[in-house]
Amino acid sequence: MGETRSRKRPWLAALLSAIAPAFGHLYLRRWLRALGWLGVTMLSSVFVPDATLDALVSGQSFAWLDAAPLLAVSLLSVLDAYRLAVVNNYLLRVRSAGTEMAVCPDCGRPVEDDLDFCQWCGTTLDEAEADEPARHDVQ
């Protein structure tokens, strides 16, 4: 069963992640990543005082410095969702161009010819692959 990808709106992914960490990742259909962001959010709430958590839930005023761990995780989640949407759109544009290009043997994403590693997943390319990368028709 092949995975179908469609263009995603980076601003919408960022906005959804700003509402709640992982919502943007759910929009991007990155289920495990969304679960990871939920876990990191719950873990960071351990470092926030209970009074601040109660004030956040009830809408009362609170010290912003006390909520810094949750705010940092939220900001990182927004940036990650935005970046994932941009990369997804780039890959779709490259694949739809129908050009022949070097492809990483591990993740299947396009690799720049002058690198000894995949810029997407970090897989080290063999000397033979680095000198003369396998060419594939990207669909």
Side-chain angles (χ1 to χ4, degrees):
M1 177 183 264
E3 177 181 329
T4 59
R5 287 188 177 180
S6 62
R7 291 198 50 149
K8 301 294 182 186
R9 293 179 176 88
W11 62 268
L12 181 57
L15 179 67
L16 289 171
S17 283
I19 293 171
F23 277 10
H25 296 87
L26 292 174
Y27 163 69
L28 297 171
R29 296 179 177 246
R30 296 293 189 104
W31 314 119
L32 291 177
R33 203 167 194 131
L35 186 62
W37 278 109
L38 286 175
V40 169
T41 302
M42 293 183 116
L43 182 65
S44 68
S45 69
V46 170
F47 300 105
V48 177
D50 289 337
T52 303
L53 287 175
D54 293 339
L56 274 171
V57 171
S58 64
Q60 298 173 356
S61 64
F62 57 92
W64 286 98
L65 192 57
D66 289 341
L70 283 176
L71 295 174
V73 168
S74 296
L75 177 65
L76 291 174
S77 176
V78 167
L79 294 174
D80 186 51
Y82 183 85
R83 185 191 62 84
L84 282 175
V86 168
V87 168
N88 177 62
N89 292 343
Y90 169 76
L91 291 175
L92 284 173
R93 189 171 46 250
V94 167
R95 288 186 177 139
S96 67
T99 60
E100 206 174 86
M101 60 189 337
V103 175
C104 174
D106 190 40
C107 69
R109 292 180 173 174
V111 179
E112 293 183 21
D113 291 335
D114 58 342
L115 295 179
D116 294 342
F117 62 94
C118 173
Q119 71 266 24
W120 302 106
C121 67
T123 301
T124 304
L125 303 175
D126 294 337
E127 289 295 322
E129 291 176 355
D131 293 337
E132 190 174 316
R135 299 279 178 178
H136 297 285
D137 187 21
V138 179
Q139 304 264 345

